[in-house]
Amino acid sequence: MQRRPRRNRSSATIRNMVQETHLTVDHLVQPIFLVEGHQVREEISSLPGTFRLSLDEVLKEIEACLQLGLNKFIMFPAVPEANKDKTATYSYHPDNFYLKAAQEIKARFPECCLISDVAMDPYSSDGHDGLVSDGRILNDPTLPILAKMAVAQAEAGFDILGPSDMMDGRVGYIREALDEAGYTDTSIMSYTAKYASAFYGPFRDALDSAPKAGDKKTYQMNPANQREALIEAELDTQEGADFLMVKPALNYLDVISLLKNNFDLPIAAYHVSGECAMLLAACRNGWLNYEQAMPETLLSIHRAGADVIITYFAKDFAKM
Ligand code: PBG
């Protein structure tokens, strides 16, 4: 035999020498669900091990993560139904508990990187990412709402904003609003290829943010499409995005790889709630080994081309 690939696998030392990808906590972002109140720690039943936390608990959580070297967080607000309306006004209200919390977190831990979603759904009485009229999701009238929300988030101290709404033209619109308000250093991590996926279930349970009517298929992408992601990536790049995100991650590794090979911006992937829940369910049933299956899963997302991975397993990975 001329060639024996097994020689390069013959010992741990050799295997490490030829290992092509390495995943570290530097690449990982931990999601946090914030709720109003004090000493609140409510587990999300469809995503065991993930909690809705009040600010005092979040501060403890962030401190624990920082000690593990994990310093990037994406935050989501669980907004009381009474504060939701058709135009998501609470998203930029001066009394918004989420914005105040971000301010306090940045004051306490200036070294941590805080990311925020920009979309109407947690604040919308319709549970949609855009303005709803006669059952239709309006694109252009949604943009000024997103821009107000983005400027309020930048003002609160968020380092990176993630427009997750999939409205056309929103990255450019938000970029212009941020620049006009003087937030030229606030980054945009665009949810570039966000698919109309069945894997967001536990997240919508956490925020009680599921659409009241209809689905998100007129704005989120069709799971059957790959080339369409190139159009979204081209537009987001032109409009000034700093990162391009693919979401979900595991069922869309081909899309991650496609964007990585065709664009120069850093690629992020969102390992979403349903994907994490699926793995947890198998591990809790004794069907898979968490310590092995979880890092292998995250590594596969990185290997496909994601520089940044948002995952509910970030803290566990950091511990390991
Ligand atoms: C809101 C948003 C969603 C997720 C992140 N931002 C849900 C949705 O679009 O319905 C899902 C994340 C997850 O499932 O972990 N626009």
Side-chain angles (χ1 to χ4, degrees):
M1 252 184 274
Q2 290 294 311
R3 304 200 56 186
R4 288 183 181 271
R6 284 187 59 191
R7 275 196 288 266
N8 282 348
R9 298 176 210 136
S10 58
S11 71
T13 306
I14 304 260
R15 286 193 296 275
N16 291 344
M17 182 166 64
V18 299
Q19 180 162 332
E20 297 174 32
T21 30
H22 293 86
L23 182 62
T24 71
V25 283
D26 286 337
H27 301 285
L28 302 183
V29 178
Q30 175 70 48
I32 291 179
F33 295 116
L34 187 82
V35 71
E36 251 180 319
H38 195 68
Q39 295 188 333
V40 184
R41 207 177 162 78
E42 298 165 348
E43 192 167 32
I44 295 143
S45 58
S46 49
L47 192 58
T50 297
F51 298 80
R52 269 185 293 260
L53 302 173
S54 52
L55 176 59
D56 52 324
E57 294 289 330
V58 168
L59 292 171
K60 283 192 241 166
E61 187 64 25
I62 289 181
E63 192 165 15
C65 288
L66 290 176
Q67 275 164 10
L68 297 168
L70 174 60
N71 56 9
K72 291 168 286 297
F73 306 93
I74 184 161
M75 301 216 304
F76 302 95
V79 177
E81 202 61 39
N83 287 335
K84 298 185 184 185
D85 59 20
K86 280 199 79 69
T87 52
T89 50
Y90 186 69
S91 64
Y92 49 86
H93 195 281
D95 292 337
N96 180 317
F97 77 96
Y98 171 77
L99 299 175
K100 287 203 248 175
Q103 245 165 349
E104 196 162 330
I105 294 166
K106 283 301 280 188
R108 278 277 289 278
F109 307 109
E111 72 275 32
C112 80
C113 171
L114 280 194
I115 308 174
S116 181
D117 238 38
V118 180
M120 287 174 63
D121 56 333
Y123 305 99
S124 154
S125 46
D126 292 306
H128 274 287
D129 297 19
L131 207 56
V132 182
S133 173
D134 291 331
R136 293 179 57 229
I137 315 300
L138 306 181
N139 193 90
D140 298 13
T142 299
L143 302 180
I145 299 172
L146 297 174
K148 272 193 219 168
M149 191 183 309
V151 169
Q153 291 174 352
E155 195 180 345
F158 282 102
D159 303 281
I160 303 177
L161 306 184
S164 73
D165 55 288
M166 291 302 280
M167 296 300 122
D168 292 335
R170 90 279 205 210
V171 170
Y173 199 96
I174 290 171
R175 182 71 270 162
E176 205 172 308
L178 289 173
D179 290 353
E180 265 170 28
Y183 297 107
T184 50
D185 289 339
T186 306
S187 293
I188 296 182
M189 180 184 282
S190 178
Y191 286 69
T192 295
K194 177 173 180 177
Y195 287 87
S197 169
F199 290 85
Y200 307 147
F203 176 97
R204 294 178 188 171
D205 292 342
L207 300 190
D208 197 14
S209 64
K212 298 280 158 54
D215 54 39
K216 299 194 175 186
K217 290 180 184 172
T218 66
Y219 46 107
Q220 298 182 348
M221 284 175 56
N222 180 347
N225 294 358
Q226 188 195 57
R227 279 156 35 85
E228 193 181 351
L230 293 171
I231 300 175
E232 290 287 358
E234 183 69 46
L235 290 171
D236 285 356
T237 303
Q238 283 167 7
E239 291 175 32
D242 301 284
F243 302 79
L244 304 176
M245 195 201 294
V246 175
K247 175 186 173 183
L250 291 180
N251 290 342
Y252 300 86
L253 293 179
D254 58 326
V255 181
I256 294 174
S257 165
L258 183 72
L259 294 196
K260 180 70 163 204
N261 292 330
N262 286 283
F263 291 87
D264 299 328
L265 288 170
I267 304 297
Y270 200 140
H271 182 216
V272 300
S273 58
E275 299 181 303
C276 292
M278 199 163 57
L279 189 116
L280 280 174
C283 294
R284 290 187 168 220
N285 232 336
W287 295 344
L288 289 177
N289 177 310
Y290 184 68
E291 273 69 34
Q292 293 169 357
M294 185 272 277
E296 181 181 330
T297 301
L298 300 188
L299 190 63
S300 77
I301 301 169
H302 188 44
R303 189 194 63 232
D307 305 288
V308 180
I309 303 172
I310 303 172
T311 174
Y312 299 88
F313 299 150
K315 189 183 176 193
D316 282 352
F317 184 90
K319 273 190 208 153
M320 290 166 57

